[in-house]
Amino acid sequence: MLHYSITRPGGILRLNPSAPLRKEDFAGLSADVDAYLAENAKLHGVLVHAKGFPGWEDFEGFTAHMHFVREHHKQVERVAVVTDSPLAGMAELLGKHFISAEVRHFPFADDDKALAWLENA
């Protein structure tokens, strides 16, 4: 399951995955992000906050995730990955090659620092 919210007017998308990601998680997320972007040029930041990466429920969940990233990454300035997962370093490295946003990793307990970094974009 993916919990999310968009801070208005700041333009920060907060993502809190708590279980393996499903195709359905991205349908609602895409609709809400598209509605925000219809009125605003960009999301100033995305904050992904998870103790560990929950993975995907199935291949449909994975492809929905990749589709969401492909469709929206050019409208995002920064991504803060806030986690203690050992995969965070890889996410930061891969992000630099596949998305236009600046990506930075923060330890799970430093969500306030991550939010401050996103707000100062």
Coordinates of all heavy atoms in Angstrom, one line a residue, residues 10-71:
G10 N 3.3 24.4 -1.4 CA 4.7 24.0 -1.5 C 5.1 23.1 -2.6 O 6.2 23.1 -3.1
G11 N 4.1 22.3 -3.1 CA 4.5 21.4 -4.2 C 5.4 20.2 -3.8 O 6.3 19.8 -4.6
I12 N 5.2 19.7 -2.6 CA 6.0 18.5 -2.1 C 5.1 17.3 -2.1 O 4.0 17.3 -1.4 CB 6.6 18.7 -0.7 CG1 7.4 20.0 -0.7 CG2 7.4 17.5 -0.3 CD1 8.7 20.1 -1.5
L13 N 5.4 16.3 -2.8 CA 4.7 15.0 -2.8 C 5.4 14.1 -1.8 O 6.5 13.8 -1.9 CB 4.7 14.4 -4.2 CG 4.2 12.9 -4.3 CD1 2.7 12.9 -4.0 CD2 4.4 12.4 -5.8
R14 N 4.6 13.7 -0.8 CA 5.1 12.7 0.2 C 4.6 11.3 -0.1 O 3.4 11.1 -0.3 CB 4.7 13.1 1.6 CG 5.3 14.4 2.1 CD 4.6 14.8 3.4 NE 5.3 15.9 4.1 CZ 6.1 15.7 5.1 NH1 6.3 14.6 5.7 NH2 6.6 16.8 5.6
L15 N 5.5 10.4 -0.2 CA 5.1 9.0 -0.5 C 5.6 8.1 0.7 O 6.7 8.2 1.1 CB 5.8 8.5 -1.7 CG 5.5 9.3 -3.0 CD1 6.5 8.8 -4.1 CD2 4.1 9.1 -3.4
N16 N 4.7 7.3 1.2 CA 5.0 6.5 2.4 C 4.5 5.0 2.0 O 3.4 4.7 2.3 CB 4.2 7.0 3.6 CG 4.7 8.3 4.0 OD1 4.1 9.3 3.6 ND2 5.7 8.4 4.8
P17 N 5.4 4.3 1.4 CA 5.0 2.9 1.1 C 5.1 2.0 2.3 O 6.0 2.1 3.1 CB 6.0 2.5 0.0 CG 7.2 3.3 0.3 CD 6.7 4.6 0.8
S18 N 4.0 1.3 2.6 CA 4.0 0.4 3.8 C 3.8 -1.0 3.5 O 3.8 -1.9 4.4 CB 2.8 0.9 4.7 OG 1.6 0.8 4.0
A19 N 3.7 -1.4 2.2 CA 3.5 -2.8 1.8 C 3.9 -2.8 0.3 O 4.1 -1.8 -0.3 CB 2.1 -3.2 2.0
P20 N 4.1 -4.0 -0.2 CA 4.5 -4.1 -1.6 C 3.6 -3.3 -2.5 O 2.4 -3.2 -2.3 CB 4.4 -5.6 -1.9 CG 4.7 -6.3 -0.6 CD 4.1 -5.3 0.4
L21 N 4.2 -2.6 -3.4 CA 3.5 -1.6 -4.3 C 2.6 -2.4 -5.3 O 3.1 -3.3 -5.9 CB 4.5 -0.7 -5.0 CG 5.3 0.1 -4.0 CD1 6.4 0.9 -4.8 CD2 4.5 1.1 -3.2
R22 N 1.4 -1.8 -5.5 CA 0.5 -2.5 -6.5 C 0.1 -1.5 -7.6 O 0.3 -0.3 -7.5 CB -0.8 -2.8 -5.7 CG -0.7 -3.7 -4.5 CD -1.9 -3.7 -3.7 NE -2.3 -2.4 -3.3 CZ -3.6 -2.0 -3.2 NH1 -4.6 -2.8 -3.4 NH2 -3.9 -0.7 -2.9
K23 N -0.3 -2.1 -8.7 CA -0.8 -1.3 -9.8 C -1.8 -0.2 -9.4 O -1.7 0.9 -9.8 CB -1.4 -2.2 -10.9 CG -1.9 -1.5 -12.1 CD -2.6 -2.5 -13.0 CE -3.2 -1.8 -14.2 NZ -3.8 -2.7 -15.1
E24 N -2.7 -0.6 -8.5 CA -3.8 0.3 -8.0 C -3.2 1.5 -7.3 O -3.8 2.6 -7.3 CB -4.8 -0.5 -7.2 CG -5.5 -1.5 -7.9 CD -4.7 -2.9 -8.1 OE1 -3.7 -3.0 -7.4 OE2 -5.2 -3.7 -8.9
D25 N -2.1 1.3 -6.6 CA -1.5 2.4 -5.9 C -1.1 3.6 -6.8 O -1.3 4.8 -6.4 CB -0.2 2.0 -5.2 CG -0.4 1.0 -4.0 OD1 -1.5 1.1 -3.4 OD2 0.5 0.2 -3.8
F26 N -0.7 3.3 -8.0 CA -0.3 4.3 -8.9 C -1.4 4.9 -9.7 O -1.2 6.0 -10.2 CB 0.8 3.7 -9.8 CG 2.1 3.4 -9.1 CD1 2.3 2.1 -8.6 CD2 2.9 4.4 -8.7 CE1 3.4 1.8 -7.9 CE2 4.1 4.2 -7.9 CZ 4.3 2.9 -7.5
A27 N -2.6 4.3 -9.8 CA -3.7 4.9 -10.5 C -4.2 6.1 -9.8 O -4.3 7.2 -10.4 CB -4.8 3.9 -10.6
G28 N -4.4 6.1 -8.5 CA -4.9 7.2 -7.7 C -3.8 8.3 -7.6 O -4.0 9.5 -7.7
L29 N -2.5 7.8 -7.4 CA -1.4 8.7 -7.3 C -1.3 9.5 -8.6 O -1.1 10.8 -8.6 CB -0.1 8.0 -7.0 CG 1.2 8.8 -7.0 CD1 1.1 9.9 -5.9 CD2 2.4 7.8 -6.8
S30 N -1.3 8.9 -9.7 CA -1.2 9.5 -11.0 C -2.3 10.6 -11.2 O -2.0 11.7 -11.7 CB -1.2 8.5 -12.2 OG 0.0 7.8 -12.2
A31 N -3.5 10.2 -10.9 CA -4.6 11.1 -11.1 C -4.4 12.4 -10.2 O -4.6 13.5 -10.7 CB -5.9 10.5 -10.7
D32 N -4.0 12.2 -9.0 CA -3.8 13.4 -8.1 C -2.6 14.2 -8.5 O -2.7 15.5 -8.5 CB -3.7 12.9 -6.6 CG -5.0 12.5 -6.1 OD1 -6.1 12.7 -6.7 OD2 -5.0 11.9 -5.0
V33 N -1.5 13.6 -8.9 CA -0.4 14.4 -9.4 C -0.7 15.1 -10.7 O -0.3 16.3 -10.8 CB 0.9 13.4 -9.5 CG1 2.0 14.1 -10.2 CG2 1.3 13.0 -8.1
D34 N -1.4 14.4 -11.6 CA -1.8 15.1 -12.8 C -2.7 16.3 -12.6 O -2.5 17.3 -13.2 CB -2.4 14.1 -13.8 CG -1.5 13.1 -14.3 OD1 -0.3 13.3 -14.3 OD2 -2.0 12.1 -14.9
A35 N -3.6 16.2 -11.6 CA -4.5 17.3 -11.3 C -3.6 18.5 -10.7 O -3.9 19.6 -11.0 CB -5.5 16.9 -10.3
Y36 N -2.7 18.2 -9.8 CA -1.8 19.2 -9.3 C -1.0 19.9 -10.4 O -0.9 21.1 -10.5 CB -0.8 18.6 -8.2 CG 0.1 19.6 -7.7 CD1 -0.2 20.5 -6.7 CD2 1.4 19.8 -8.3 CE1 0.6 21.4 -6.2 CE2 2.2 20.8 -7.8 CZ 1.9 21.6 -6.8 OH 2.7 22.6 -6.3
L37 N -0.4 19.0 -11.3 CA 0.4 19.6 -12.4 C -0.4 20.3 -13.4 O 0.1 21.2 -14.2 CB 1.2 18.5 -13.0 CG 2.3 17.9 -12.2 CD1 2.9 16.6 -12.8 CD2 3.4 18.9 -11.8
A38 N -1.7 20.1 -13.5 CA -2.6 20.9 -14.4 C -2.6 22.3 -14.0 O -2.9 23.2 -14.8 CB -4.0 20.3 -14.5
E39 N -2.4 22.6 -12.7 CA -2.5 23.9 -12.1 C -1.1 24.5 -11.8 O -1.0 25.7 -11.5 CB -3.3 23.9 -10.9 CG -4.8 23.5 -11.1 CD -5.6 23.4 -9.8 OE1 -5.0 23.7 -8.7 OE2 -6.7 22.9 -9.9
N40 N -0.1 23.7 -11.8 CA 1.3 24.1 -11.4 C 2.3 23.5 -12.3 O 2.1 22.4 -12.8 CB 1.6 23.6 -9.9 CG 0.6 24.1 -8.9 OD1 0.7 25.1 -8.4 ND2 -0.5 23.3 -8.7
A41 N 3.3 24.2 -12.6 CA 4.3 23.8 -13.6 C 5.1 22.6 -13.1 O 5.5 21.7 -14.0 CB 5.3 24.9 -13.9
K42 N 5.4 22.5 -11.8 CA 6.3 21.4 -11.3 C 5.9 21.0 -9.9 O 5.2 21.7 -9.2 CB 7.7 21.9 -11.3 CG 8.4 22.0 -12.6 CD 9.9 22.3 -12.5 CE 10.5 22.3 -13.8 NZ 11.0 21.0 -14.2
L43 N 6.4 19.8 -9.5 CA 6.4 19.5 -8.1 C 7.8 19.9 -7.7 O 8.8 19.5 -8.3 CB 6.3 17.9 -8.0 CG 4.9 17.4 -8.0 CD1 5.0 15.8 -8.1 CD2 4.1 17.8 -6.8
H44 N 7.9 20.6 -6.6 CA 9.3 21.1 -6.2 C 10.0 19.9 -5.6 O 11.3 19.9 -5.6 CB 9.1 22.2 -5.1 CG 8.6 23.4 -5.7 ND1 9.2 24.2 -6.7 CD2 7.4 24.0 -5.6 CE1 8.5 25.2 -7.0 NE2 7.3 25.1 -6.4
G45 N 9.3 18.9 -5.1 CA 10.0 17.8 -4.6 C 9.1 16.6 -4.3 O 7.9 16.7 -4.2
V46 N 9.8 15.4 -4.2 CA 9.1 14.2 -3.8 C 9.9 13.6 -2.6 O 11.2 13.5 -2.7 CB 9.1 13.1 -5.0 CG1 8.6 11.8 -4.5 CG2 8.4 13.7 -6.1
L47 N 9.2 13.3 -1.5 CA 9.9 12.8 -0.4 C 9.3 11.3 -0.2 O 8.1 11.1 0.0 CB 9.5 13.6 0.9 CG 10.3 13.2 2.1 CD1 10.5 14.5 3.0 CD2 9.6 12.2 3.0
V48 N 10.2 10.4 -0.4 CA 9.9 9.0 -0.2 C 10.4 8.6 1.2 O 11.6 8.6 1.4 CB 10.6 8.1 -1.3 CG1 10.2 6.6 -1.1 CG2 10.2 8.6 -2.7
H49 N 9.5 8.2 2.1 CA 9.8 7.9 3.5 C 9.4 6.5 3.8 O 8.2 6.2 3.9 CB 9.1 8.9 4.4 CG 9.6 8.9 5.8 ND1 8.7 8.7 6.8 CD2 10.8 9.1 6.3 CE1 9.5 8.8 8.0 NE2 10.7 9.0 7.6
A50 N 10.4 5.6 3.9 CA 10.1 4.2 4.3 C 11.3 3.6 5.0 O 12.4 3.9 4.6 CB 9.8 3.4 3.0
K51 N 11.0 2.9 6.0 CA 12.1 2.3 6.8 C 12.9 1.4 5.9 O 14.2 1.3 5.9 CB 11.6 1.5 8.0 CG 12.6 1.0 8.9 CD 13.2 2.1 9.8 CE 14.0 1.5 10.9 NZ 14.9 2.5 11.5
G52 N 12.3 0.6 5.1 CA 12.9 -0.3 4.1 C 12.0 -0.3 2.8 O 10.9 0.1 2.8
F53 N 12.6 -0.7 1.7 CA 11.8 -0.7 0.5 C 11.0 -2.0 0.4 O 11.5 -3.1 0.5 CB 12.8 -0.7 -0.7 CG 12.0 -0.7 -2.1 CD1 11.2 0.3 -2.4 CD2 12.2 -1.8 -2.9 CE1 10.5 0.3 -3.6 CE2 11.5 -1.9 -4.1 CZ 10.6 -0.8 -4.4
P54 N 9.6 -1.8 0.3 CA 8.7 -2.9 0.3 C 8.6 -3.8 -0.9 O 8.1 -4.8 -0.9 CB 7.4 -2.3 0.6 CG 7.5 -0.9 0.0 CD 8.9 -0.5 0.2
G55 N 9.2 -3.3 -2.0 CA 9.2 -4.0 -3.3 C 7.8 -3.8 -4.0 O 7.1 -2.9 -3.6
W56 N 7.5 -4.7 -4.9 CA 6.3 -4.7 -5.6 C 5.5 -6.0 -5.4 O 6.0 -7.0 -5.2 CB 6.6 -4.5 -7.1 CG 7.3 -3.3 -7.4 CD1 6.8 -2.0 -7.6 CD2 8.8 -3.2 -7.5 NE1 7.9 -1.1 -7.9 CE2 9.1 -1.8 -7.8 CE3 9.8 -4.1 -7.4 CZ2 10.4 -1.4 -8.0 CZ3 11.1 -3.6 -7.6 CH2 11.4 -2.3 -7.9
E57 N 4.2 -5.8 -5.5 CA 3.3 -7.0 -5.3 C 3.5 -8.0 -6.4 O 3.5 -9.2 -6.2 CB 1.9 -6.6 -5.2 CG 0.9 -7.7 -4.9 CD -0.5 -7.2 -4.7 OE1 -1.2 -7.0 -5.7 OE2 -0.8 -6.9 -3.5
D58 N 3.6 -7.5 -7.6 CA 3.8 -8.3 -8.8 C 4.4 -7.5 -10.0 O 4.7 -6.3 -9.8 CB 2.4 -8.9 -9.2 CG 1.3 -7.9 -9.4 OD1 1.6 -6.7 -9.6 OD2 0.1 -8.3 -9.2
F59 N 4.5 -8.1 -11.1 CA 5.0 -7.4 -12.2 C 4.2 -6.2 -12.7 O 4.7 -5.1 -13.1 CB 5.2 -8.3 -13.4 CG 6.0 -7.7 -14.6 CD1 7.4 -7.4 -14.4 CD2 5.4 -7.4 -15.8 CE1 8.1 -6.8 -15.5 CE2 6.1 -6.8 -16.8 CZ 7.5 -6.5 -16.7
E60 N 2.9 -6.2 -12.5 CA 2.0 -5.1 -12.8 C 2.3 -3.9 -11.9 O 2.3 -2.8 -12.4 CB 0.5 -5.5 -12.7 CG 0.0 -6.3 -13.9 CD -1.4 -6.6 -13.8 OE1 -2.0 -6.7 -12.6 OE2 -2.1 -6.7 -14.8
G61 N 2.6 -4.2 -10.7 CA 3.0 -3.1 -9.7 C 4.3 -2.5 -10.2 O 4.4 -1.2 -10.1
F62 N 5.2 -3.3 -10.6 CA 6.5 -2.8 -11.0 C 6.3 -1.9 -12.3 O 6.9 -0.8 -12.4 CB 7.5 -3.9 -11.3 CG 8.8 -3.5 -12.0 CD1 9.8 -2.9 -11.3 CD2 9.0 -3.7 -13.3 CE1 10.9 -2.4 -11.9 CE2 10.1 -3.3 -14.0 CZ 11.1 -2.6 -13.2
T63 N 5.6 -2.4 -13.3 CA 5.4 -1.6 -14.5 C 4.6 -0.3 -14.3 O 4.9 0.7 -14.9 CB 4.8 -2.5 -15.6 OG1 3.5 -3.0 -15.2 CG2 5.7 -3.6 -16.0
A64 N 3.6 -0.4 -13.4 CA 2.9 0.9 -13.1 C 3.8 1.9 -12.4 O 3.7 3.1 -12.7 CB 1.7 0.5 -12.1
H65 N 4.7 1.4 -11.6 CA 5.7 2.3 -10.9 C 6.6 3.0 -12.0 O 6.8 4.2 -12.0 CB 6.5 1.5 -9.9 CG 7.4 2.3 -9.1 ND1 8.2 1.8 -8.2 CD2 7.7 3.7 -9.1 CE1 9.0 2.7 -7.6 NE2 8.7 3.9 -8.1
M66 N 7.1 2.1 -12.9 CA 8.0 2.7 -13.9 C 7.3 3.6 -14.9 O 7.8 4.6 -15.3 CB 8.6 1.5 -14.7 CG 9.6 0.6 -13.9 SD 10.9 1.5 -13.1 CE 10.4 1.4 -11.4
H67 N 6.0 3.3 -15.2 CA 5.2 4.2 -16.0 C 5.0 5.6 -15.3 O 5.2 6.6 -15.9 CB 3.9 3.6 -16.3 CG 3.0 4.4 -17.2 ND1 3.2 4.6 -18.5 CD2 1.9 5.2 -16.8 CE1 2.3 5.5 -19.0 NE2 1.5 5.8 -18.0
F68 N 4.7 5.5 -14.0 CA 4.6 6.8 -13.3 C 5.8 7.6 -13.3 O 5.8 8.8 -13.5 CB 4.2 6.5 -11.8 CG 4.0 7.7 -11.0 CD1 2.9 8.5 -11.0 CD2 5.1 8.1 -10.1 CE1 2.8 9.7 -10.3 CE2 5.0 9.3 -9.4 CZ 3.9 10.1 -9.5
V69 N 7.0 7.0 -13.1 CA 8.3 7.7 -13.1 C 8.5 8.3 -14.5 O 8.9 9.5 -14.6 CB 9.4 6.8 -12.6 CG1 10.8 7.4 -12.9 CG2 9.2 6.4 -11.2
R70 N 8.3 7.5 -15.5 CA 8.6 8.0 -16.8 C 7.7 9.2 -17.2 O 8.1 10.1 -17.8 CB 8.4 6.8 -17.8 CG 8.8 7.2 -19.3 CD 8.5 6.2 -20.3 NE 7.1 6.1 -20.5 CZ 6.4 5.0 -20.5 NH1 6.9 3.8 -20.2 NH2 5.1 5.0 -20.7
E71 N 6.4 9.1 -16.8 CA 5.5 10.2 -17.2 C 5.7 11.5 -16.3 O 5.2 12.5 -16.8 CB 4.1 9.7 -17.0 CG 3.7 8.6 -18.0 CD 3.7 9.0 -19.4 OE1 3.2 10.1 -19.7 OE2 4.3 8.3 -20.2

